[in-house]
Amino acid sequence: MTVIGLGYVGMPLAKEAVGAGLRVVGLDVDPAKVDALNAGQSYIDDLTDADLEHMLANGFSATLDETVLARSNTIVICVPTPLDDDHRPDLSAVEGATKAVARNLGKGTLVVLESTTWPGTTDELARPLLETSGLKAGEDFHLAFSPERIDPGNPKYGLRNTPKVVGGYTPTCRDRATAFYGRFIEQVVPVSGTREAEMAKLLENTYRHVNIALVNEMAIFCDELGIDLWEAIEAAATKPFGFHKFLPGPGVGGHCIPVDPSYLSYTVRKLGYPFRFVELAQEINERMPSYVVARVQRLLNRHKKPVNGAKVVMLGVTYKPDIADERETPALPVARALLELGAELSFADPYVKEWAVDGTPVPREDDLAEAVINADVTLLLQQHAAFDLGMVEAKAKLVLDTRGVLAEGERVERL
């Protein structure tokens, strides 16, 4: 089999397939990734060098040569699907990968798209491109969609023990894809078609997006009302039914939450009206970095200090704790706004060695204690386990905690 796209989705898939005894080749357009993998150097949080060494010893290899597709009985497309500058789906990588498959497609091959996209993509975009090969989906080759559910850094749920949704272009396509994933995933969940599988992924992340926006907006007005929202959330979470805990924060990051709901909104807009829930949630979540900066300003003002010239150290610049992934991190718009206000910015993050804002390098703090002692404000954006939060509480002059993990006090405020 061939996995196209050797990122945080493709590599865990390749790992589990190799572990199940499949012969796996990874195909990518980035020579640096291919060279690193073939040299046994992993750049994926959930894939250690030891994991990669085991894969290589069991036949895995990475390549830039698309002709490997012609020798593959299963091809899984795991390429990025970002948004363009106008927040519209950018499917150029999917198109490019699918065209490469079409040029090398053989009879009986199973082709699965895992990249998150709008409902209808597999049938309306991928299928016609694949059929330029002269082969017909459902007759000469099998076509399916199975949304990725990778949660980087999750110690409990990985690819193998996370149920896998599969929808086929035809029932036979679905059955072939279900059998394939069943070789290395504990539970496969077949659905009636590709659109249902595509929608399932968008529904999962839109649910999270909307609920995060709810608590983010509540955080803003609870602060003005003098209500400890964090305590209220924990109290509500004691209810054993009908409530799922979501927490406020400085914004949303990663690929899924800030990006995926826009694919659904794009689909609905093609019907002639907006998806108001998603667009409102997007508006609320996108304003959170500005709100964080306003809270930093207020915290400094209370102590008769301007932001201009203030030393601000940002703790954690990745989008979630204990990983190195910076995609769509809210730390970036927060830092951009603080720099525009004249703050002297630095950052501390055990997973990020160099960091820049719009091409401007931000100094990295190696000594956390020294950094928080010298800073006018410590801004906790990500609660990495490596951070000594007790020391931060004890030694920082002022702290804005956007994650609700520190005890509030005279010098510590929570979002």
Side-chain angles (χ1 to χ4, degrees):
M1 65 170 284
T2 298
V3 176
I4 306 179
L6 304 180
Y8 83 102
V9 174
M11 287 308 299
L13 175 68
K15 173 189 170 184
E16 293 297 342
V18 169
L22 279 67
R23 181 64 180 264
V24 182
V25 177
L27 176 63
D28 206 285
V29 295
D30 186 344
K33 287 184 177 180
V34 169
D35 290 344
L37 292 173
N38 287 330
Q41 300 167 356
S42 175
Y43 45 82
I44 305 296
D45 286 301
D46 294 334
L47 187 77
T48 66
D49 286 352
D51 291 332
L52 184 54
E53 183 178 344
H54 180 267
M55 292 172 64
L56 292 167
N58 284 274
F60 174 78
S61 63
T63 184
L64 300 168
D65 182 6
E66 68 173 53
T67 62
V68 297
L69 297 168
R71 303 187 294 275
S72 302
N73 57 12
T74 300
I75 299 167
V76 185
I77 300 172
C78 305
V79 296
T81 50
L83 299 177
D84 64 18
D85 293 338
D86 297 320
H87 275 231
R88 293 175 303 185
D90 179 0
L91 297 184
S92 57
V94 170
E95 292 180 13
T98 306
K99 289 176 181 177
V101 174
R103 289 191 292 268
N104 297 275
L105 188 59
K107 277 195 172 185
T109 303
L110 169 64
V111 181
V112 184
L113 177 62
E114 286 206 6
S115 304
T116 303
T117 183
W118 45 268
T121 300
T122 305
D123 185 17
E124 298 169 15
L125 186 146
R127 182 178 60 83
L129 289 175
L130 292 169
E131 289 183 344
T132 61
S133 64
L135 303 178
K136 294 296 181 182
E139 297 177 15
D140 303 313
F141 69 94
H142 302 284
L143 177 62
F145 181 83
S146 181
E148 60 88 6
R149 280 176 162 173
I150 299 296
D151 185 17
N154 190 321
K156 183 176 181 181
Y157 291 107
L159 184 74
R160 177 174 290 275
N161 65 347
T162 300
K164 196 84 167 84
V165 174
V166 173
Y169 176 63
T170 67
T172 303
C173 294
R174 177 197 62 208
D175 293 345
R176 169 74 184 274
T178 298
F180 163 69
Y181 284 113
R183 297 184 65 177
F184 52 89
I185 293 178
E186 293 174 6
Q187 181 184 358
V188 180
V189 183
V191 295
S192 60
T194 56
R195 283 174 171 81
E196 286 74 19
E198 290 161 336
M199 181 60 79
K201 171 67 173 179
L202 298 183
L203 176 59
E204 293 167 15
N205 288 324
T206 299
Y207 167 79
R208 293 170 62 198
H209 186 52
V210 168
N211 280 281
I212 291 169
L214 172 65
V215 292
N216 275 339
E217 188 165 37
M218 291 182 75
I220 294 171
F221 68 69
C222 280
D223 174 61
E224 295 186 25
L225 293 172
I227 297 170
D228 187 337
L229 177 63
W230 301 93
E231 184 177 352
I233 290 171
E234 293 303 325
T238 62
K239 185 179 180 182
F241 53 90
F243 182 83
H244 184 83
K245 182 171 75 172
F246 289 86
L247 298 173
V252 291
H255 178 280
C256 294
I257 304 303
V259 175
D260 292 0
S262 293
Y263 276 73
L264 193 49
S265 180
Y266 170 80
T267 302
V268 175
R269 279 199 169 274
K270 290 195 294 184
L271 300 176
Y273 49 85
F275 188 0
R276 290 178 292 173
F277 254 69
V278 163
E279 294 182 10
L280 178 59
Q282 195 87 17
E283 178 186 331
I284 293 168
N285 287 332
E286 286 182 353
R287 74 179 275 204
M288 290 308 292
S290 296
Y291 177 67
V292 168
V293 173
R295 289 289 299 273
V296 170
Q297 286 181 291
R298 192 180 76 185
L299 189 56
L300 284 167
N301 284 342
R302 286 177 179 171
H303 292 79
K304 298 180 171 52
K305 293 181 180 179
V307 177
N308 192 357
K311 293 182 179 179
V312 181
V313 60
M314 301 171 62
L315 304 191
V317 296
T318 59
Y319 90 87
K320 65 182 295 188
D322 303 325
I323 63 170
D325 200 331
E326 300 173 40
R327 290 172 303 156
E328 305 295 329
T329 173
L332 186 59
V334 168
R336 184 180 293 123
L338 287 170
L339 288 172
E340 288 175 356
L341 290 171
E344 296 182 13
L345 207 60
S346 63
F347 82 98
D349 195 307
Y351 298 93
V352 179
K353 301 307 178 187
E354 295 180 352
W355 195 57
V357 177
D358 302 328
T360 301
V362 177
R364 184 178 188 271
E365 302 283 2
D366 295 316
D367 188 321
L368 184 63
E370 183 180 344
V372 300
I373 289 170
N374 292 333
D376 294 305
V377 175
T378 296
L379 178 55
L380 179 61
L381 293 173
Q382 203 54 265
Q383 70 277 33
H384 293 310
F387 289 150
D388 184 346
L389 299 181
M391 179 276 295
V392 173
E393 284 183 354
K395 296 188 176 182
K397 295 173 185 174
L398 297 172
V399 183
L400 178 63
D401 170 17
T402 70
R403 295 298 178 178
V405 293
L406 303 179
E408 280 202 297
E410 184 180 342
R411 294 176 294 104
V412 179
E413 285 190 6
R414 291 193 291 190
L415 195 63

